[in-house]
């Protein structure tokens, strides 16, 4: 099982939209996928119309028994681990453990599911906390959506620093331009200036009304039809990520 | 993770599905995903390899699904081109690997069909999220003598994380009067209920049940009748060239028949005996060439693997010639199989086996079969040992071949009369014999192949690049084969020693008794 984290310390850059649609695209190609909603806001769960079970609690989670919280989505080969408030306090729960060991906790927790899924795709909350450290430690690949704005680039820089701080392999980091509006000159300028850096993928996800409307349709863009341009864009993105970062 | 549950329940004969769906609407949003009115074809190999593993291969159009007998799906292929029937014609996938293991070189053939009317429903909660999937199916088997319509069945599929909804639907169905299917092979039973083929009606193992006190005539009729049925069963598949195993099985049945005809020479009327021996020999002969070619073609991957990659292209021409040769041989064989000679042989043979006035039912055939079997097996075993003892490390290869033929006769005998003996001991002895025969058989195969490859090499003319390449490849193969053959020859002594051990001899004596005369036995006491 490969762990793919969609992460940025900045909110509103399209992390959830990316995680939700990549998970769908991956499952469509016959892979068994688990989408993990690590954001207590629960947006990914919302898009798939899934509510967590009431009994969800942190202690059970830390015992590694979260199989029972997993729920099927309406799509073959795609399951979801719903959001829960408790993830936020993961570091509190682990306060007595050593730093390095604590960081590996997420990978350990996901380990028992390795034979059930080909990919775990993590939708991450927008902050820089201890949870972020466990996420980048566990992930085989960290994808950061970047809106072509200065502020958004800053979040990428922050992440690079974090990786350095915890001595994590920086090659697992990859980025792409998200919510791109070609008519905005700032977007154009920033993409021209930074697009050539190897950290950026060729594929970009434009700003599209279809994606914005997911809040109403409550389903991944491809579920409305395989011809959807937004769905095609996510397919290309997934293809490029697999080729560049997940090929074994 | 916990496997997901699937349940199948059956409606009472006159019960409609609609009221049940109405009841479900009180608890869920019921979304009908449309009705699917089509036929499901069930595929298997001619010898039921999937069925033996409790698997069904269901196809509609370009898709093939692998299911358990109770309909649980294991996987699916959805892009099978028309006329595709072998595992190697499928796109790589887990299902393909499973099929490869099980069906090997056999073709998947349509064995039965159901006309099905399926209603697929999703049950949604208030968030309009699917929590249970449900399918109601009405089946009509296709085929003569099939029942008109089978009782409707509902299958309920659990979705991960929604156990409660599954339990609720289950309870509701039971309250409505549906009963759990009493068998976990309901789909298999339905599938073949109208089929002209009965599952497992053809198998790879020779199995004839003789009565313990059977007389010779009856035994011959039973055994040859069984073999005749195998010949007739396989003929069409050979003619249509469906897969290589039809011809293989066809030939084995002929060989067994011939073996019985020669082993029981004295028990058969002279004129008929010699007629059938001659004609079956002819049939064995005319089917031989095609099988030989098949053997080489089936070996293709193995041959290529023996060679370093730079020599492999040298075999292209070799295999292309074989393919061409095969087409020619197939044409000839088809002509033989449609000939008057073939038809007469089979109808004469059938008449001989079943006609009331058949010599098989005369006085001389009333003797005990068991006694004859004992005697013949004993004789064959002795002959085998006599030939085996004579083999020396540096003797000619032909000694090994003769021994192999002796062994084969013995093996067939034991198979023909297996049901007359203690099953466990006999199996044990046959297992020992098989080890011996594997050694001899592999050795023989290598000799035959080497001869063929050598002849091919001798026949190469000219000095173009392609000829050189082919010569190099053939040379490579011959080298590997000779080494293997040497190794088998080295193993022979030990294998033979194990087979001819006193332990094994005693095992056989315990089966068929010893042949010392009563007075000798008395004299020793
Ligand atoms: N490519 C896009 N085009 C249009 N709207 C988008 C796109 N990506 C995301 N959005 C919208 O922007 C908002 C924030 O996106 P979201 O994926 O929730 O970001 P994050 O998870 O990083 O906070 C959401 O309303 C979403 O529908
Ligand atoms: Mg989000």
């Amino acid at each position: 099982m490969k762990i793919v984290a969609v992460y940025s310390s900045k909110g509103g850059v399209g992390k959830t939209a990316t995680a939700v649609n990549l998970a769908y695209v991956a499952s469509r190609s016959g892979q068994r996928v688990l989408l993990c909603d690590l954001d207590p806001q629960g947006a990914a769960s919302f898009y798939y119309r899934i509510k967590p079970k009431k009994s969800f609690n942190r202690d059970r989670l830390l015992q590694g028994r979260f199989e029972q919280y997993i729920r099927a989505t309406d799509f073959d080969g795609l399951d979801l681990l719903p959001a829960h408030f408790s993830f936020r306090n993961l570091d509190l729960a682990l306060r007595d453990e050593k730093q390095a060991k604590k960081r590996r906790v997420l990978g350990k927790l996901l380990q028992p599911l390795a034979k059930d899924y080909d990919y775990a795709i993590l939708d991450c909350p927008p902050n820089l906390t201890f949870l972020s450290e466990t996420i980048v430690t566990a992930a085989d690949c960290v994808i950061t959506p970047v809106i072509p704005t200065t502020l958004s680039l800053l979040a990428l820089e922050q992440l690079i620093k974090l990786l350095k701080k915890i001595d994590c392999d920086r090659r697992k980091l990859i980025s792409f331009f998200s919510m791109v509006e070609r008519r905005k000159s700032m977007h154009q300028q920033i993409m021209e200036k930074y697009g050539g850096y190897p950290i950026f993928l060729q594929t970009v996800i434009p700003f599209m009304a279809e994606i914005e409307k997911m809040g109403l349709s409550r389903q991944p863009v491809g579920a409305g039809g395989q011809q959807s341009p937004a769905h095609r864009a996510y397919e290309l993105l997934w293809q490029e990520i697999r080729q560049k970062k997940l090929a074994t | 993770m916990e496997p997901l549950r699937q349940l199948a329940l059956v409606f009472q004969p006159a019960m409609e599905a609609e009221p049940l769906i109405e009841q479900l609407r009180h608890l869920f949003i019921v979304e009908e995903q449309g009705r699917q009115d089509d036929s499901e074809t069930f595929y298997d190999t001619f010898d039921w390899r999937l069925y033996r593993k409790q698997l069904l291969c269901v196809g509609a159009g370009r898709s093939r699904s692998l299911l358990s007998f109770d309909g649980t799906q294991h996987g699916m292929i959805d892009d099978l081109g028309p006329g595709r029937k072998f595992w190697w014609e499928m796109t790589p996938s887990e299902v393909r690997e499973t099929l490869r293991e099980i069906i090997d070189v056999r073709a998947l053939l349509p064995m039965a069909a159901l006309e099905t009317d399926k209603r697929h429903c999703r049950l949604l909660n208030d968030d309009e999220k699917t929590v249970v999937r449900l399918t109601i199916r009405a089946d009509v088997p296709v085929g003569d003598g099939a029942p008109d319509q089978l009782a409707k069945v509902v299958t309920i599929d659990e979705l991960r994380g929604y156990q409660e909804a599954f339990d609720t639907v289950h309870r509701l169905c039971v309250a409505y009067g549906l009963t759990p299917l009493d068998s976990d092979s309901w789909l298999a039973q339905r599938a073949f209920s109208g089929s002209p083929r009965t599952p497992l009606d053809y198998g790879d193992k020779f199995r004839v049940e003789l009565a313990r006190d059977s007389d010779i005539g009856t035994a011959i009729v039973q055994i040859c009748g069984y073999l005749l049925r195998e010949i007739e069963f396989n003929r069409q598949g050979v003619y249509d060239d469906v897969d290589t195993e039809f011809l293989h099985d066809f030939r084995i049945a002929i060989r067994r028949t011939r073996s019985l005809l020669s082993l029981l020479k004295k028990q058969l009327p002279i004129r008929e005996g010699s007629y059938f021996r001659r004609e079956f020999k002819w049939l064995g002969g005319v089917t031989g060439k095609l099988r030989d070619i098949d053997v080489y073609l089936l070996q293709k991957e193995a041959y290529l693997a023996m060679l370093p990659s730079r020599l492999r292209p040298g075999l292209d021409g070799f295999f292309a010639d074989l393919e061409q040769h095969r087409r020619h041989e197939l044409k000839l064989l088809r002509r033989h199989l449609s000939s008057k000679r073939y038809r007469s042989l089979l109808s004469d043979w059938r008449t001989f086996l079943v006609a009331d006035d058949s010599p098989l039912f005369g006085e001389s055939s009333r003797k005990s079969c068991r006694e004859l079997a004992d005697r013949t097996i004993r004789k064959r075993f002795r002959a085998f040992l006599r030939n085996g003892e004579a083999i020396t490390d540096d003797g000619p290869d032909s000694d090994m071949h003769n021994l192999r033929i002796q062994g084969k006769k013995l093996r067939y005998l034991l198979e023909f009369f297996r049901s007359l003996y203690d099953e466990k001991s006999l199996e044990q002895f046959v297992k020992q014999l098989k080890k011996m025969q594997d050694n001899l058989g592999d050795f023989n195969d290598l000799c035959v192949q080497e001869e063929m490859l050598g002849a091919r090499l001798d026949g190469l003319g000219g000095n173009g690049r392609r000829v050189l390449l082919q010569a190099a490849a053939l040379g490579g193969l011959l080298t590997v084969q000779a080494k293997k053959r040497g190794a088998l020859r080295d193993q022979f002594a030990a294998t033979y020693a194990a087979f001819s051990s006193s332990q094994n001899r005693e095992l056989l004596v315990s089966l068929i008794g010893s042949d010392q005369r009563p007075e000798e036995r008395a004299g020793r006491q």
Side-chain angles (χ1 to χ4, degrees), chain A residues 84-132:
Chain A
H84 197 271
F85 193 64
S86 312
F87 274 114
R88 188 152 53 180
N89 299 321
L90 200 61
D91 53 342
L92 274 180
L94 294 165
R95 63 186 158 256
D96 301 329
E97 304 285 349
K98 285 221 178 71
Q99 275 300 327
K101 194 173 170 191
K102 276 159 75 173
R103 266 185 217 123
R104 284 195 302 270
V105 70
L106 190 64
K108 268 219 190 97
L109 285 173
L110 289 170
Q111 190 52 41
L113 299 171
K115 59 189 178 320
D116 296 305
Y117 298 100
D118 301 309
Y119 292 103
I121 296 183
L122 317 183
D123 182 30
C124 304
N127 46 30
L128 260 179
T129 60
F130 171 71
L131 179 60
S132 329

Side-chain angles (χ1 to χ4, degrees), chain A residues 122-209:
Chain A
L122 317 183
D123 182 30
C124 304
N127 46 30
L128 260 179
T129 60
F130 171 71
L131 179 60
S132 329
E133 294 180 19
T134 67
I135 287 170
V136 294
T137 307
D140 295 288
C141 168
V142 178
I143 308 171
T144 302
V146 171
I147 304 177
T149 61
T150 323
L151 224 53
S152 191
L153 278 169
L154 223 54
L156 181 61
E157 239 168 73
Q158 258 182 339
L159 180 56
I160 296 173
K161 275 192 197 135
L162 171 72
L163 287 171
K164 210 171 189 175
K165 178 189 130 197
I166 63 170
D167 198 18
C168 182
D169 185 356
R170 271 156 65 185
R171 278 170 304 182
K172 64 166 84 164
L173 185 59
I174 203 156
S175 189
F176 72 93
F177 290 113
S178 166
M179 302 167 81
V180 173
E181 293 174 82
R182 299 257 178 213
R183 264 172 292 175
K184 288 191 177 164
S185 61
M186 161 133 92
H187 281 199
Q188 280 201 4
Q189 283 164 16
I190 289 191
M191 283 170 64
E192 258 164 43
K193 185 157 174 209
Y194 296 97
Y197 284 67
I199 195 170
F200 282 104
L201 296 169
Q202 298 296 306
T203 314
V204 307
I205 302 291
F207 188 95
M208 290 169 132

Side-chain angles (χ1 to χ4, degrees), chain A residues 48-51 53 67 70-74 76 79 116-117 218, chain B residues 1-2 122 124-125 127-131 133 159-163:
Chain A
Y48 280 104
R49 304 166 189 241
I50 290 175
K51 286 185 183 138
K53 290 190 181 175
E67 284 177 26
I70 295 174
R71 300 196 120 169
T73 68
D74 281 10
D76 277 345
D79 290 347
D116 296 305
Y117 298 100
R218 293 185 75 181
Chain B
M1 281 200 301
E2 288 280 307
R122 297 195 302 154
L124 315 176
N125 63 15
D127 289 321
E128 297 186 37
K129 165 78 182 68
T130 314
V131 291
R133 276 188 233 261
L159 290 180
R160 187 162 310 287
Y162 297 97
Q163 295 87 342

